[in-house]
Amino acid sequence: MQSRSGAPTLEAVAKRAGVSRATVSRVVNGSPKVTPDVLASVRQAIEELGYVPNRAARSLASRRTQAIALVVPEDTAKVFDEPYFAQIVQGVATHLATTDYALSLLISSAGSTEKTRRYLLGGNVDGAVVVSHHKDDPLLEGVAGTLPLVFGGRPFEPVPPHTHYVDADNVGGARAAVEHLVKLGRRRIATIAGPADMTAGQDRLRGWEEALVAAGLQADLAERGDFSPASGAKAMRALLATGAPIDGVFAANDQMALGAYAVLAEHDLRIPEDVAIVGFDDDRAASTALPPLTSVAQPSSEMGAEMARLLIQLIDGKGSVPEATVMPTELHVRASSAAQLKLSA
Amino acid sequence: MQSRSGAPTLEAVAKRAGVSRATVSRVVNGSPKVTPDVLASVRQAIEELGYVPNRAARSLASRRTQAIALVVPEDTAKVFDEPYFAQIVQGVATHLATTDYALSLLISSAGSTEKTRRYLLGGNVDGAVVVSHHKDDPLLEGVAGTLPLVFGGRPFEPVPPHTHYVDADNVGGARAAVEHLVKLGRRRIATIAGPADMTAGQDRLRGWEEALVAAGLQADLAERGDFSPASGAKAMRALLATGAPIDGVFAANDQMALGAYAVLAEHDLRIPEDVAIVGFDDDRAASTALPPLTSVAQPSSEMGAEMARLLIQLIDGKGSVPEATVMPTELHVRASSAAQLKLSA
DNA sequence: TTGTATGCGTTATCAC
DNA sequence: GTGATAACGCATACAA
């Protein structure tokens, strides 16, 4: 009885309630122009029959799909390893659960961009949230401008007009992290930066620099990594190899910070006594590390929810939607950063 | 031109190719009964127009949605923190990308189970992959038996007939972990077990027990956690409080193992010299821990892919589908486990 | 406010 | 092999 073949239709409800299909449709779609008693009887019929509107039919007739796509690139090993992405997905999905939009998850591998484009352009969704698109990504050619889009993370310059995105305050977060180290008395603060081809990497590097300049300190100790633990270790090694008396490190993410942990241990440098460290993302790994890692937390799942919310606003065309939404970060102080011991050297 | 309103239809293709809609439909659906030249001209017309079939219309007419749902419970904070779930999602999505099924991600919160059921029963999808369903979950009442389903993880007993699921070899993995500790010379091997209401927790505990019994060792040192680091720490504390001379620990997941790290440090117990530890899942955190954590890896994303594959087989009704699919685990040995130093005591 | 009629883009059932 | 034509289940002008 519940099977697809036997599912009750709008017509069945209409018959049972003694009204026309149009009226039932109005009730289902919450039209205000329905007499209370009619509304009641229709609702009852719906209830009794366990009627559920057929999405395909509705979509076909209304030319709206009531679905949005979430597009993530397939560097998925990388992608889903980052709790950040998983949380974005979670935020989007959870928000959508409160609406009647369905979520279609698209993994776009390098080879399937054409397929993804067709999907997006084929009228399968009313809009899309695009997470971590690459520089010069061909994926969105033709899509932007045709389909409402919201990006996760600031896109690369030049940002096309009317590009909507949600991002964390990477610059501010990085600045706060470094200011924290400065207040602790650290003076030679290095950074393990993120990749140059990701705006998050660029912005966190900038925050580090701004804070040092503002404090009248030198901003010359920087090495780039690719957000992986191994790259963090490599960068730390390079920094130590310069021979500079480093007493503080700001890593652009926690994974690289943890990679640095191992290298510092090899060099018999204690955390935080000799070198204080601050990471970014507030990974789960940050709190279980020894010592627990101070980190800049970004509200990933809230960001996902916000992207979904904005996209729906865009789709509904109600009011104006801000093009840039920057969410605040929060410094979580743990044992990896502490005031410097005044042991002199 | 590419916008939803102006998308080329089947009819447009038919007109341009000088054939009927029916023929175009046959071409699109790969029917064998189409003359080569007709086929060619239709294909060309499709190409030239950039035609993409409308999913809703197709679904309405064919009574198939070409979409499957991925249902995850909303303990999402917990859920998406576990890389395991993120990887399952990734595996399912990636496999689906190679088919022409779309993926609909459903987060089922406690309050929305009814909504989720309606979605599943409303003919929106052809089947569903259900991850981490709870014991006595009301979600699936009526769904099972109506819609093809594949579970992630062994469901609780009694397993209803014809329940398909994919799981890791939790018992075998745990056994391997403990056998490894035994080979290392450890004799008092405790376990930090998972929750009793999750089959993974049950199975890993059983593996621990089996291995100890097989080795002629006592299996009496067990404490349960809930897979969180804090619970792991608590369990470790409780184990140490027994006063037993523990020299090995098998934790049912890496997070709890890392929680135990901190407690062992507090007690001045060295890893692996005094206590060797093995975890489960092979989290990213396992390799960056100090010392790196030996862990049992399960092929999470492959499991996701397998679930999708089985589900599609089930939907297509081709051949018989195995009800239980158990994927092998692999022990990744790292520094947290090593041969016991023969320093005597 | 409610009902009638038509169309949404495909698939599927027929004849041809 | 190919082409009409009737569903598919719902939304929506339009009429009442």
Side-chain angles (χ1 to χ4, degrees):
Chain A
M1 231 22 161
Q2 294 280 31
S3 82
R4 278 173 288 167
S5 50
T9 71
L10 207 169
E11 170 142 34
V13 176
K15 199 166 297 176
R16 190 180 235 282
V19 300
S20 73
R21 290 180 303 174
T23 299
V24 176
S25 178
R26 294 191 185 97
V27 171
V28 170
N29 294 298
S31 161
K33 11 184 67 182
V34 178
T35 321
D37 18 325
V38 178
L39 196 161
S41 65
V42 171
R43 280 200 173 141
Q44 182 176 351
I46 288 179
E47 187 63 30
E48 294 172 356
L49 265 45
Y51 168 72
V52 177
N54 178 302
R55 206 175 198 99
R58 176 185 283 202
S59 159
L60 186 57
S62 67
R63 296 161 138 299
R64 312 184 64 216
T65 64
Q66 286 297 94
I68 77 163
L70 175 49
V71 184
V72 306
E74 163 152 56
D75 325 318
T76 331
K78 189 191 287 179
V79 163
F80 270 85
D81 254 358
E82 302 277 355
Y84 169 73
F85 291 103
Q87 286 182 15
I88 292 285
V89 174
Q90 185 258 314
V92 171
T94 303
H95 177 78
L96 252 37
T98 70
T99 72
D100 55 347
Y101 275 88
L103 204 203
S104 196
L105 185 62
L106 260 53
I107 303 281
S108 79
S109 57
S112 71
T113 65
E114 191 48 34
K115 191 178 170 195
T116 303
R117 285 188 52 206
R118 302 222 137 184
Y119 187 86
L120 296 179
L121 260 24
N124 294 299
V125 292
D126 296 333
V129 167
V130 180
V131 169
S132 177
H133 66 298
H134 297 323
K135 200 167 186 173
D136 307 319
D137 194 334
L139 170 64
L140 304 176
E141 309 251 339
V143 175
T146 302
L147 197 69
L149 247 39
V150 171
F151 291 89
R154 179 170 69 78
F156 282 96
E157 313 288 0
V159 177
H162 308 301
T163 297
H164 299 263
Y165 71 88
V166 174
D167 202 354
D169 181 8
N170 287 308
V171 176
R175 209 189 297 123
V178 176
E179 287 168 355
H180 167 66
L181 289 172
V182 170
K183 273 189 201 127
L184 258 32
R186 309 293 168 155
R187 291 294 173 264
R188 291 297 286 161
I189 302 170
T191 188
I192 298 178
D197 65 345
M198 298 186 64
T199 55
Q202 296 179 340
D203 295 351
R204 293 174 194 177
L205 177 59
R206 189 144 67 82
W208 166 79
E209 194 169 2
E210 288 183 7
L212 288 184
V213 169
L217 298 175
Q218 280 192 54
D220 55 347
L221 297 168
E223 281 290 330
R224 285 194 188 284
D226 63 6
F227 282 154
S228 73
S231 75
K234 186 177 170 197
M236 189 72 245
R237 236 182 283 280
L239 288 170
L240 291 175
T242 64
I246 297 171
D247 59 5
V249 173
F250 164 61
N253 80 341
D254 292 344
Q255 292 304 307
M256 295 196 293
L258 295 180
Y261 264 44
V263 173
L264 289 172
E266 289 170 9
H267 287 252
D268 286 322
L269 290 170
R270 296 160 304 169
I271 305 172
E273 292 83 352
D274 300 313
V275 181
I277 301 198
V278 179
F280 206 113
D281 281 355
D282 201 21
D283 251 30
R284 220 181 18 169
S287 45
T288 52
L290 291 180
L293 176 66
T294 293
S295 187
V296 180
Q298 57 181 326
S300 315
S301 70
E302 284 86 344
M303 287 165 65
E306 186 64 12
M307 291 178 213
R309 209 179 59 75
L310 291 175
L311 180 57
I312 291 175
Q313 256 184 50
L314 227 42
I315 292 171
D316 291 348
K318 292 178 183 168
S320 62
V321 180
E323 300 194 352
T325 300
V326 178
M327 312 274 286
T329 60
E330 201 170 86
L331 184 68
H332 289 182
V333 178
R334 302 202 179 84
S336 73
S337 68
Q340 196 155 19
L341 297 185
K342 289 298 180 186
L343 298 179
S344 75
Chain B
M1 233 23 160
Q2 292 280 31
S3 81
R4 278 173 289 166
S5 48
T9 73
L10 206 169
E11 171 142 33
V13 175
K15 199 166 297 177
R16 189 179 235 280
V19 299
S20 74
R21 291 178 301 173
T23 299
V24 177
S25 179
R26 291 191 187 97
V27 171
V28 170
N29 294 297
S31 163
K33 11 184 65 182
V34 178
T35 320
D37 19 324
V38 178
L39 196 160
S41 65
V42 170
R43 279 198 173 144
Q44 182 176 351
I46 287 180
E47 187 63 31
E48 292 172 355
L49 266 45
Y51 168 72
V52 177
N54 178 303
R55 206 177 198 99
R58 176 184 283 199
S59 160
L60 184 58
S62 67
R63 295 163 142 297
R64 312 184 65 216
T65 65
Q66 286 296 95
I68 76 161
L70 175 50
V71 184
V72 306
E74 161 150 58
D75 326 318
T76 332
K78 189 192 284 177
V79 163
F80 270 85
D81 254 358
E82 303 277 356
Y84 168 74
F85 291 104
Q87 287 182 14
I88 293 284
V89 174
Q90 186 257 314
V92 171
T94 302
H95 177 78
L96 253 37
T98 70
T99 72
D100 56 345
Y101 276 87
L103 174 66
S104 198
L105 184 62
L106 260 52
I107 301 281
S108 79
S109 58
S112 71
T113 65
E114 189 50 33
K115 191 179 170 195
T116 302
R117 285 189 51 207
R118 302 223 136 183
Y119 187 86
L120 295 178
L121 260 25
N124 295 298
V125 292
D126 295 333
V129 167
V130 180
V131 168
S132 178
H133 67 298
H134 296 322
K135 199 167 185 171
D136 306 320
D137 194 334
L139 170 64
L140 304 175
E141 310 249 340
V143 175
T146 303
L147 197 69
L149 248 37
V150 171
F151 291 90
R154 179 170 69 79
F156 282 95
E157 312 286 0
V159 176
H162 308 302
T163 297
H164 299 266
Y165 71 87
V166 173
D167 202 357
D169 182 8
N170 287 307
V171 176
R175 209 189 298 120
V178 175
E179 286 168 354
H180 168 66
L181 290 172
V182 170
K183 271 189 203 132
L184 257 32
R186 309 294 168 154
R187 290 294 172 266
R188 290 298 285 161
I189 301 170
T191 187
I192 298 178
D197 65 344
M198 298 186 64
T199 54
Q202 296 179 342
D203 294 350
R204 293 174 193 176
L205 177 59
R206 188 144 65 83
W208 165 79
E209 194 168 2
E210 288 184 8
L212 288 184
V213 169
L217 298 174
Q218 281 192 53
D220 54 348
L221 296 168
E223 280 291 329
R224 283 194 189 283
D226 62 6
F227 281 152
S228 72
S231 74
K234 188 177 168 194
M236 190 71 246
R237 238 183 281 281
L239 287 170
L240 291 175
T242 65
I246 297 171
D247 59 5
V249 173
F250 165 61
N253 78 341
D254 293 343
Q255 291 305 306
M256 294 197 294
L258 295 181
Y261 265 42
V263 172
L264 289 172
E266 288 170 11
H267 287 251
D268 286 321
L269 289 169
R270 294 161 306 168
I271 305 172
E273 292 82 352
D274 301 312
V275 180
I277 301 195
V278 179
F280 206 113
D281 280 355
D282 200 22
D283 249 31
R284 219 180 21 168
S287 45
T288 54
L290 292 178
L293 175 67
T294 293
S295 186
V296 180
Q298 56 180 327
S300 315
S301 70
E302 284 86 343
M303 288 166 64
E306 186 64 11
M307 291 178 213
R309 208 180 60 75
L310 292 175
L311 180 57
I312 291 174
Q313 256 185 52
L314 226 42
I315 292 171
D316 292 348
K318 291 180 184 168
S320 63
V321 181
E323 300 194 351
T325 299
V326 178
M327 311 275 286
T329 59
E330 201 170 86
L331 184 68
H332 289 183
V333 178
R334 303 203 179 84
S336 72
S337 67
Q340 195 153 22
L341 297 186
K342 290 296 181 188
L343 299 178
S344 77

